[in-house]
Amino acid sequence: MAITVVGSVAFDSIETPAGRKERCLGGAATYFALAASYFTNVRVIAVVGDDFGPGQQAVFDKRGIDTQGIERAAGKSFFWEGSYLENLNEAKTRATELNVFGAFQPKIPEAYRDSEFLFLANIDPVLQRRVREAMSQAKLVAGDTMNYWIKDHREPLKEVLKGLDILLINDTETRMLAGNNNLVQAAGSVLDMGPRMLVVKHGEYGATAFYGKRPDGFGAKTFRAPALPLEEVVDPTGAGDSFAGGFFGYLASQKELTPGAFRRAMFYGSVTGSFAVERFGTERLEQLSRKEIDERFEMFRELTHLD
Amino acid sequence: MAITVVGSVAFDSIETPAGRKERCLGGAATYFALAASYFTNVRVIAVVGDDFGPGQQAVFDKRGIDTQGIERAAGKSFFWEGSYLENLNEAKTRATELNVFGAFQPKIPEAYRDSEFLFLANIDPVLQRRVREAMSQAKLVAGDTMNYWIKDHREPLKEVLKGLDILLINDTETRMLAGNNNLVQAAGSVLDMGPRMLVVKHGEYGATAFYGKRPDGFGAKTFRAPALPLEEVVDPTGAGDSFAGGFFGYLASQKELTPGAFRRAMFYGSVTGSFAVERFGTERLEQLSRKEIDERFEMFRELTHLD
């Protein structure tokens, strides 16, 4: 079933211990869409500027991603510059230029309106909510957010959380959102805010799904997927969005959303996240195959399963 | 088969967000021995002072732990005071008084000399090596160390590593020992120093076993065990030693050291580590049952396995 994703399509200049790359194609919606495209049809809602050319368009086209919802506006695309020289787990932002993204008003193409899966990537919660309401047919809605919205836009964010089935955020964001340093207690509080499932992304340590209203840390109410211990992390940018794309893309490809499907989705999320960091920008995600994805899935099983 | 462990038996004063406790029974050999005692016979080599009384002795006796190798010296036992108020993952040491431990010369009781399993807990590598050489009959030898020995006693430590089958240390220690911030590359370097297996303990994120000379992060050469997302970590002290005790104790209880036995051992280590942190000091480890341990083992399987 088709997924519609709303979020940023951007240019990133990135410095990591492996080198530096100028103006890679980036943005949460881009990483998400590429990762999800190996599992199902993906439709993107975003805005870009004049600098988004045929080279960038081709990245989406090659993966069969529907881009009629990517609006072209006069001006420059969202630009981000960051460095991982000090810490591979957390980017130091050097520049953020919103450009055309600053006035983004998501427009939903008519052809997107039958999407049964909706992903609200990390954007202003006011916009997330508007898209959520306009796409009321969606049967499974997941979303992301970040510290900026949690700190300074808490009320609109809380409205978004009420309409989410699944929230995907990291450890720090979970603790900040709940105002509780104990991750399990924090996860319980976040579930009380609306989502039926919280997926906490732990970076190099994988991710944990919390579901049920009072997760007690035991048995059926949590599930943990590993991250591959990678020999060479070239560029961590987009790992979380790529996790979300693999996770949600796999779910959208399933006839039935069984508990087993959610477990496998967690593993597929870890798989696409682990590929994303192997090259700068979206390079690795652009040229994956389903066979490579499934082989790494099996490696993950081998890495974590007793027999 | 019996395990001999050499290490510290101590008193700890501990402050955590859950409260404060004065002079709990502690020390690496204590936590290790208690955790391992649920799987096999354990014999301890250590030194204590006059302050080690019948109450402390009873903790070992109740678990059937052989303490004839615990020497009584004139003076006070090793004392450590630490706080986890700022960070539950890393203690801030407030005081370390070596006392009788400062002049520790391990003496190996004749009755220990048939131990087929030997664990060298975190002590001066010169002493670790001496015990290793005196216990040449041991067929599987594991050990621990810490930043202090890695930084300032590297040469004797390297000698110890040559004689180890399994080294159990944490992420920071692995990176420091190898001089490499990439964990997988660092693990490869550590394996080149001698151990056939390196178990890296990730605290709340579980542990990863690296084995084989050039781990590439894929498939058969790494194995990852989870940690339980605990609602309430009361006192993290001894979690790593309790992991080691469950891990090594389970191995010692097996007729054959198959790859599957090592995988299960990783899970049992995570299980005993997760119990240890539920109460102050050794309180929880003193009163476990094998049934509770196996139930949590099954929860871990449920937490991580696809089906």
Side-chain angles (χ1 to χ4, degrees), chain A residues 171 175 182-185 202 204-206 208 210 214-220 222-233 260 263-264 267 278 296-297 299 301-307, chain B residues 171 175 182-185 202 204-206 208 210 214-220 222-233 260 263-264 267 278 296-297 299 301-307:
Chain A
D171 288 66
R175 293 182 166 113
N182 181 297
L183 186 66
V184 179
Q185 291 170 1
H202 310 308
E204 63 175 316
Y205 298 115
T208 306
F210 295 88
R214 288 290 304 156
D216 55 10
F218 294 97
T222 55
F223 183 67
R224 185 165 281 195
L228 207 58
L230 283 175
E231 182 120 22
E232 209 180 336
V233 172
R263 287 172 178 250
R264 291 189 299 275
F267 268 55
E278 289 184 354
R296 190 163 290 182
F297 183 97
M299 289 167 193
R301 184 198 293 269
E302 174 79 6
L303 178 72
T304 55
H305 282 46
L306 289 162
D307 26 48
Chain B
D171 288 66
R175 293 183 165 113
N182 180 296
L183 186 66
V184 179
Q185 291 170 0
H202 309 308
E204 63 175 315
Y205 298 114
T208 305
F210 295 88
R214 287 290 303 156
D216 56 10
F218 294 97
T222 55
F223 183 68
R224 186 165 281 195
L228 206 58
L230 282 175
E231 182 120 21
E232 209 179 334
V233 171
R263 287 173 176 249
R264 292 189 298 275
F267 268 55
E278 288 184 355
R296 189 162 292 183
F297 183 96
M299 288 168 194
R301 186 197 294 267
E302 174 79 6
L303 177 73
T304 55
H305 282 47
L306 289 163
D307 25 49

Side-chain angles (χ1 to χ4, degrees), chain A residues 142-154:
Chain A
D144 188 7
T145 190
M146 69 184 290
N147 49 8
Y148 173 71
W149 308 115
I150 295 171
K151 257 197 293 198
D152 300 328
H153 295 74
R154 184 170 284 261

Side-chain angles (χ1 to χ4, degrees), chain A residues 178-244:
Chain A
N180 187 330
N181 265 327
N182 181 297
L183 186 66
V184 179
Q185 291 170 1
S189 303
V190 171
L191 290 177
D192 284 339
M193 297 176 192
R196 291 188 290 148
M197 178 182 276
L198 168 68
V199 176
V200 183
K201 297 170 286 182
H202 310 308
E204 63 175 316
Y205 298 115
T208 306
F210 295 88
Y211 47 105
K213 268 213 129 181
R214 288 290 304 156
D216 55 10
F218 294 97
K221 295 202 167 176
T222 55
F223 183 67
R224 185 165 281 195
L228 207 58
L230 283 175
E231 182 120 22
E232 209 180 336
V233 172
V234 169
D235 172 16
T237 311
D241 301 311
S242 306
F243 179 100

Side-chain angles (χ1 to χ4, degrees), chain B residues 15-27:
Chain B
E15 192 159 19
T16 84
R20 184 175 166 85
K21 200 141 179 218
E22 305 294 337
R23 295 184 64 75
C24 309
L25 177 61

Side-chain angles (χ1 to χ4, degrees), chain B residues 14-246:
Chain B
I14 303 160
E15 192 159 19
T16 84
R20 184 175 166 85
K21 200 141 179 218
E22 305 294 337
R23 295 184 64 75
C24 309
L25 177 61
T30 307
Y31 283 102
F32 177 94
L34 287 171
S37 73
Y38 292 92
F39 301 94
T40 193
N41 293 326
V42 187
R43 301 154 169 178
V44 182
I45 300 173
V47 63
V48 294
D50 312 319
D51 47 3
F52 186 89
Q56 286 75 41
Q57 180 63 44
V59 170
F60 291 90
D61 292 345
K62 279 187 191 147
R63 292 296 319 139
I65 296 165
D66 191 333
T67 57
Q68 58 179 300
I70 301 187
E71 182 191 349
R72 313 292 179 116
K76 290 170 75 177
S77 300
F78 184 23
F79 172 75
W80 177 79
E81 184 176 346
S83 165
Y84 299 88
L85 290 183
E86 281 173 37
N87 184 352
L88 260 181
N89 289 310
E90 203 182 330
K92 194 165 176 175
T93 293
R94 286 182 179 159
T96 304
E97 299 168 14
L98 289 178
N99 299 326
V100 299
F101 196 69
F104 181 36
Q105 294 297 335
K107 293 174 193 67
I108 302 161
E110 208 45 47
Y112 284 17
R113 292 198 179 264
D114 63 353
S115 304
E116 295 194 48
F117 285 71
L118 174 63
F119 188 76
L120 309 169
N122 168 32
I123 54 171
D124 185 338
V126 170
L127 302 184
Q128 288 181 315
R129 189 180 176 194
R130 202 174 300 158
V131 173
R132 181 20 183 152
E133 284 172 356
M135 303 277 284
S136 55
Q137 84 299 334
K139 72 168 190 181
L140 200 74
V141 185
D144 189 6
T145 191
M146 70 183 290
N147 49 7
Y148 173 72
W149 308 115
I150 295 170
K151 256 197 292 196
D152 300 328
H153 296 72
R154 185 171 283 261
E155 288 316 309
L157 178 59
K158 283 197 161 177
E159 290 304 312
V160 172
L161 296 180
K162 287 181 194 165
L164 278 192
D165 295 297
I166 308 170
L167 176 67
L168 295 100
I169 52 182
N170 69 26
D171 288 66
T172 311
E173 290 155 357
T174 304
R175 293 183 165 113
M176 188 186 288
L177 184 54
N180 186 330
N181 265 328
N182 180 296
L183 186 66
V184 179
Q185 291 170 0
S189 303
V190 171
L191 290 178
D192 284 339
M193 298 176 191
R196 290 188 290 148
M197 178 182 275
L198 167 68
V199 176
V200 183
K201 297 171 284 184
H202 309 308
E204 63 175 315
Y205 298 114
T208 305
F210 295 88
Y211 47 105
K213 269 212 127 182
R214 287 290 303 156
D216 56 10
F218 294 97
K221 296 200 165 179
T222 55
F223 183 68
R224 186 165 281 195
L228 206 58
L230 282 175
E231 182 120 21
E232 209 179 334
V233 171
V234 170
D235 172 17
T237 311
D241 301 311
S242 305
F243 179 100

